[in-house]
Amino acid sequence: MRVPQLRMEATYARLAISTTPARLDITQPPAELTIEQPPAEMHITSVPARLTIDQTEAWAAVNNKHVFELIRDGVEDGRQAVLNFIERAAIQGDELMRIENGGHPLADQAAANSEGPPLEFNIALVPPPFSVKIGYEPGRLAIDWITHAPRIDVKPHEPIIRYQRGAVQIDLAQRPSLHIDVVI
């Protein structure tokens, strides 16, 4: 005996998936930058050095004096000569007043008045050492700077973002089916 058989053929469903990928574009425009640096200011203040040389004493030692100084020295020498003469005349007058005390005052005075003063000589350096006076004041230099901060101006630009959405599409590529046959 033959038993009938069932024969089944099944077709499974098939899906078709298609995708469109998402796309992202980012563009960053450069920022606008301006920098301005004002120049610094410099102020210089200087006091020059000062050198003073006083040769008055050295010139006076070699008898090269100003006319006013020569007159002043001549007046002083004349005054001293008059005072010396008055002193000598007073001393000699006193000696003559006491002529009775003995001695030879007239002869002694004549001898003293006829002779000049003793001559002096000495070795001297002309001009004498350290007769030139030197003075020095150092100069000064002051430098002042005035600096200015730079002026920086920045204009940033927002990034440009372009986005394209992706897509997923699902379709039924093959429908499921079941086919049943009876085979005897």
Side-chain angles (χ1 to χ4, degrees):
M1 166 164 161
R2 284 194 124 187
V3 179
Q5 293 183 347
L6 285 179
R7 203 185 280 171
M8 290 194 287
E9 277 184 34
T11 307
Y12 295 108
R14 275 199 200 157
L15 295 178
I17 300 174
S18 63
T19 60
T20 305
R23 183 172 176 155
L24 177 65
D25 290 327
I26 300 175
T27 307
Q28 176 68 58
E32 295 177 29
L33 177 67
T34 56
I35 300 175
E36 183 180 336
Q37 175 66 60
E41 298 173 28
M42 180 174 69
H43 300 286
I44 300 175
T45 306
S46 67
V47 175
R50 184 174 178 177
L51 175 67
T52 55
I53 301 174
D54 184 8
Q55 301 180 45
T56 308
E57 192 178 325
W59 287 117
V62 293
N63 206 22
N64 187 3
K65 300 178 184 177
H66 190 270
V67 68
F68 294 140
E69 206 171 325
L70 287 172
I71 291 171
R72 195 176 315 116
D73 290 348
V75 167
E76 185 58 36
D77 290 346
R79 182 177 173 278
Q80 192 62 43
V82 167
L83 291 176
N84 290 343
F85 175 75
I86 292 171
E87 178 187 11
R88 191 181 67 204
I91 292 171
Q92 289 178 355
D94 286 345
E95 289 175 356
L96 290 176
M97 225 174 29
R98 294 182 189 86
I99 199 164
E100 70 275 354
N101 292 340
H104 306 300
L106 281 175
D108 293 340
Q109 288 179 10
N113 290 340
S114 65
E115 295 174 4
L119 295 175
E120 296 179 20
F121 85 90
N122 193 358
I123 297 174
L125 298 174
V126 177
F130 307 110
S131 60
V132 176
K133 306 293 184 228
I134 297 175
Y136 176 71
E137 294 175 23
R140 291 185 308 274
L141 182 66
I143 301 174
D144 293 326
W145 288 91
I146 299 173
T147 57
H148 302 287
R151 289 191 288 268
I152 301 173
D153 185 26
V154 179
K155 291 182 184 172
H157 296 292
E158 296 293 324
I160 300 170
I161 300 173
R162 287 187 213 96
Y163 176 69
Q164 183 179 3
R165 297 176 88 183
V168 177
Q169 196 169 22
I170 301 174
D171 288 325
L172 193 56
Q174 182 177 353
R175 293 188 164 269
S177 65
L178 181 60
H179 185 50
I180 301 174
D181 283 335
V182 176
V183 177
I184 310 199

